[in-house]
C-alpha cells in the first residue's frame, strides 16, 4: 500500500469536490461487477459529462506527474476515472475489484493497482473509511483531502458506512508496465540507490535497471 499526501493541495482537492456539486450523478451500482453490485450503495458522476471528463483528465495528469506514482506504480494504461459520492447510510461492502476493466478507449486492461483520491475534508463527514483487512488488523484510512491511497487491486476492501455528511472521492485502476509488485519495488529501490552513486557506478546501475525492465516490462 502507498499513501501519497497532497496529490493536490487541500484547497485544490476541495474545489474539485465542490465542482462536482454541479455534475450529473447516477446509481453507482451501474459500474460494479455482479458480486460487488450487491454491496455497493453510492452515486457516481456520469462519465459522459464534459465537465466530469475534464476533471478526470486533470486528476490523471496530476497522478502521472508525481514521482512516487511513476517510480512505484509505473502506469502504462489507466481505466476511466470515477468520481464517487457517499451520503448518510451509504457504503460499499467488502469486495474485490474486477481483474479486467476497460480503458478510456474501450479496450480491456489488466487491473494491477487501485487508487482512491480523497476530495472531502475528513472533519465534514463521519464514517466512510477505506477499510483494508490485513493479517495484523484492519487498516482504516480517512486521510486529508488531496491525499491518494494506492493498493493492489486483488485485495479485499470496503468503504465503511457514512454516518453524517458527504464523502467524495476519485477512484481508478491502473495496468502497470511491471506486473509483479515485488519487481516494481526492486526497480524503485535501485532507482533511489542510483541517485547517490558516482558516475561509473550509476552507469552500471542504469544498465542493470534497463536489463531488468527488458525482463519484466510489458508494453
Amino acid at each position: 500500500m502507498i499513501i501519497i499526501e497532497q496529490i493536490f493541495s487541500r484547497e485544490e482537492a476541495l474545489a474539485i469536490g465542490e465542482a462536482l456539486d454541479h455534475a450529473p450523478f447516477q446509481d453507482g451500482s451501474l459500474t460494479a461487477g455482479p458480486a460487488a453490485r450487491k454491496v455497493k450503495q453510492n452515486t457516481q458522476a456520469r462519465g459522459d459529462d464534459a465537465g466530469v471528463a475534464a476533471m478526470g483528465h486533470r486528476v490523471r495528469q496530476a497522478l502521472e506527474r508525481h514521482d512516487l506514482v511513476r517510480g512505484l506504480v509505473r502506469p502504462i494504461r489507466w481505466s476511466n476515472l470515477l468520481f464517487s459520492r457517499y451520503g448518510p447510510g451509504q457504503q460499499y461492502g467488502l469486495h474485490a475489484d474486477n481483474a479486467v476493466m476497460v480503458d478510456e478507449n474501450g479496450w480491456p486492461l489488466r487491473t494491477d493497482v487501485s487508487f482512491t483520491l480523497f476530495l472531502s475534508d475528513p472533519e465534514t463527514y463521519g464514517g466512510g473509511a477505506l477499510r483494508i483487512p490485513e493479517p495484523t488488523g484492519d487498516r482504516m484510512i480517512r486521510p486529508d483531502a488531496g491525499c491518494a491511497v494506492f493498493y493492489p487491486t486483488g485485495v479485499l476492501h470496503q468503504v465503511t458506512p457514512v454516518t453524517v455528511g458527504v464523502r467524495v472521492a476519485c477512484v481508478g485502476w491502473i495496468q502497470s508496465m511491471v506486473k509483479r509488485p515485488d519487481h516494481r519495488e526492486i526497480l524503485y529501490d535501485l532507482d533511489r540507490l542510483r541517485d547517490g552513486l558516482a558516475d561509473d557506478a550509476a552507469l552500471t546501475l542504469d544498465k542493470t535497471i534497463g536489463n531488468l525492465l527488458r525482463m519484466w516490462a510489458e508494453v
Side-chain angles (χ1 to χ4, degrees), residues 3 17-18 33 77 89 108 116 168 176:
I3 300 177
E18 290 169 2
R77 298 174 65 205
T116 300
V168 182
S176 176

Side-chain angles (χ1 to χ4, degrees), residues 147-216:
C147 177
V149 181
F150 294 79
Y151 50 95
T153 298
V155 303
L156 291 172
H157 60 286
Q158 74 174 106
V159 177
T160 63
V162 171
T163 57
V164 64
V166 177
R167 175 198 191 268
V168 182
C170 179
V171 298
W173 298 267
I174 298 167
Q175 180 173 325
S176 176
M177 178 186 296
V178 179
K179 181 178 181 179
R180 286 178 45 171
D182 55 335
H183 289 171
R184 295 197 296 270
E185 184 177 359
I186 289 169
L187 290 167
Y188 178 69
D189 288 343
L190 292 176
D191 277 337
R192 290 169 59 199
L193 287 173
R194 179 178 54 187
D195 294 339
L197 295 177
D199 290 346
D200 289 348
L203 185 61
T204 300
L205 193 51
D206 280 339
K207 182 187 74 171
T208 300
I209 292 170
N211 286 333
L212 289 174
L213 277 171
R214 273 183 280 275
M215 291 170 58
W216 297 339

